[in-house]
């Protein structure tokens, strides 16, 4: 008898915004339509129905005993690190006999960076398509914000990867809650750095209270600074790239292939401006500042990178 593949459980943040909650539910339904061979269910940690526990119960009632849980989240903060694992272990007690693996958050992944770039193009319209035009554009990437420094650092990583190889004047970072700089401070910083044109880019999957707050704060700041051109970009949304990425995270979880930072490794992925590095053989090398000299009594040898994974 062929063992059926593990089901897919999507875990969301939750939002008080009904349109945002419905966007999540639509996304889960679309994943189910695309993958009829796979039982798919989704639920929220807080704020909106259905709760994650109901989604697990729905799968169990469909005969599921094994599933892979994927957090539909861009960064690994308190929800992904604590709340979802806690909720899943509660469900294991409630439903003896089930087993699950847990996937990793979505970003920063080249597929999502591609969507973010598309959102910037849309915000700029026909202006801003040429390299010369982009050199005048400063992007302010706005994340959710967290009390977890690692989660905030992930947003900075996404900003840096978005900047690399694309020709923008710069990509700055701000947060809409719990962390500094906030949106007005982020915009002030862009101007102090000489920004001529700014696009505020929300680092959010779907519409909701917080992305709306980003837009509102941007409009308020722009009204007080008529001398600066400021545009607002849209959220990522239920793009094909996002649907594919969730399945990639599902496959990783099922196979136990939870990789480190290989998503954004120039030796594996063709990142803009670094395409020639893909598949390049890795040689031991010295860091320029070391020059092979003795420092503090230690000799600095070159170190090999392995990208065979």
């Amino acid at each position: 008898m062929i063992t059926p593949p593990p089901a897919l459980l999507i875990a969301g943040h939750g939002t008080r915004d009904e349109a945002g909650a419905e966007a999540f539910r639509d996304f889960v339904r679309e994943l189910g339509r695309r993958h009829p061979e796979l039982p798919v269910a989704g639920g929220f940690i807080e704020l909106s129905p259905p709760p994650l526990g109901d989604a697990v119960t729905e799968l169990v009632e469909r005969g599921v005993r094994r599933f892979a849980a994927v957090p539909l989240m861009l960064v690994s903060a308190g929800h992904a690190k604590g709340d979802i694992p806690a909720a899943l272990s509660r469900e294991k007690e409630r439903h003896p006999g089930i087993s699950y693996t847990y996937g990793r958050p979505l970003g920063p992944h080249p597929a999502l960076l591609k969507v973010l770039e598309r959102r910037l193009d849309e915000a700029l319209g026909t202006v801003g398509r040429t390299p010369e035009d982009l050199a005048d554009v400063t992007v302010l990437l706005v994340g959710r914000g967290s009390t977890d420094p690692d989660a905030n650092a992930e947003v900075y990583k996404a900003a840096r990867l978005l900047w690399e190889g694309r020709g923008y004047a710069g990509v700055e970072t701000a947060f809409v809650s719990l962390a500094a700089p906030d949106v007005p401070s982020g915009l002030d910083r862009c101007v102090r750095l000489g920004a001529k044109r700014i696009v505020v880019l929300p680092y959010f999957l779907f519409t909701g209270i917080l992305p709306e707050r980003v837009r509102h704060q941007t409009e308020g700041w722009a009204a007080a600074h008529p001398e600066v051109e400021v545009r607002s970009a849209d959220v990522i949304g239920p793009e094909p790239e996002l649907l594919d990425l969730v399945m990639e995270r599902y496959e990783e979880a099922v196979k136990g292939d939870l990789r480190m930072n290989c998503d954004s490794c120039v030796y594996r992925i063709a990142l803009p401006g670094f395409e020639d590095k893909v598949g390049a053989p890795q040689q031991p090398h010295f860091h320029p500042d070391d020059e092979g000299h003795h420092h503090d009594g230690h000799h600095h040898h070159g170190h090999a990178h392995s990208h065979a994974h």
Side-chain angles (χ1 to χ4, degrees):
M1 183 181 148
I2 297 168
T3 312
L8 169 57
L9 175 69
I10 308 289
H13 270 288
T15 172
R16 289 190 180 85
D17 181 76
E18 181 47 38
E22 190 53 31
F24 172 91
R25 293 188 287 260
D26 271 348
F27 185 82
V28 171
R29 285 191 284 268
E30 179 59 23
L31 269 172
R33 276 194 293 272
R34 280 174 164 237
H35 299 277
E37 77 288 358
L38 209 60
V40 178
F44 296 104
I45 288 298
E46 61 181 5
L47 301 175
S48 35
L52 196 60
D54 287 11
V56 174
T57 301
E58 178 196 326
L59 289 174
V60 169
E61 285 171 355
R62 288 164 70 180
V64 166
R65 287 293 167 267
R66 296 184 309 138
F67 62 88
V70 175
L72 199 71
M73 295 166 190
L74 289 166
V75 301
S76 191
H79 281 307
K81 289 177 180 176
D83 297 337
I84 297 172
L88 292 175
S89 80
R90 264 198 313 275
E91 292 311 309
K92 205 166 182 316
E93 286 173 18
R94 281 180 56 204
H95 303 283
I98 65 168
S99 64
Y100 62 87
T101 52
Y102 184 39
R104 61 188 174 127
L106 304 173
H109 188 283
L112 294 182
L113 297 173
K114 194 170 148 194
V115 179
L116 291 172
E117 192 175 5
R118 198 152 69 231
R119 294 291 174 256
L120 290 168
D121 280 348
E122 290 162 1
L124 290 164
T126 50
V127 188
R129 302 279 178 160
T130 68
E132 295 76 25
D133 289 334
L134 287 183
D136 276 349
V137 174
T138 299
V139 178
L140 183 63
L141 185 72
V142 183
R144 174 179 293 269
S146 171
T147 52
D148 180 344
D150 178 49
N152 296 332
E154 283 288 306
V155 182
Y156 276 84
K157 181 173 181 178
R160 182 72 212 190
L161 285 168
L162 186 62
W163 189 3
E164 290 278 356
R166 287 183 177 82
Y168 303 115
V171 180
E172 292 298 311
T173 309
F175 300 97
V176 74
S177 66
L178 299 174
D182 60 13
V183 174
S185 302
L187 287 163
D188 289 342
R189 176 179 165 81
C190 291
V191 169
R192 285 202 298 274
L193 289 168
K196 308 273 193 304
R197 302 159 66 215
I198 304 170
V199 182
V200 176
L201 177 62
Y203 193 45
F204 286 85
L205 292 173
F206 303 127
T207 187
I209 303 282
L210 295 180
E212 282 306 308
R213 190 180 298 164
V214 174
R215 187 175 287 270
H216 182 71
Q217 290 178 353
T218 300
E219 287 167 358
W221 187 93
H225 300 79
E227 72 286 358
V228 185
E229 184 190 330
V230 185
R231 297 180 183 220
S232 287
D234 282 334
V235 294
I236 289 168
E239 295 292 287
E241 289 94 341
L242 184 59
L243 288 151
D244 291 344
L245 177 53
V246 169
M247 292 312 297
E248 191 177 313
R249 292 289 183 252
Y250 164 80
E251 295 288 346
E252 285 176 0
V254 168
K255 292 174 183 161
D257 176 27
L258 296 180
R259 291 173 286 165
M260 194 180 61
N261 62 340
C262 302
D263 283 339
S264 49
C265 169
V266 289
Y267 302 104
R268 291 179 61 98
I269 306 291
L271 294 179
F274 298 90
E275 291 87 353
D276 60 321
K277 289 185 180 287
V278 175
Q282 297 305 296
Q283 303 297 334
H285 62 276
F286 291 107
H287 287 281
D289 293 336
D290 290 350
E291 295 175 355
H293 294 313
H294 295 273
H295 293 289
D296 306 322
H298 296 289
H299 190 69
H300 288 252
H301 291 284
H303 60 272
H305 286 289
S306 167
H307 292 281
H309 304 299

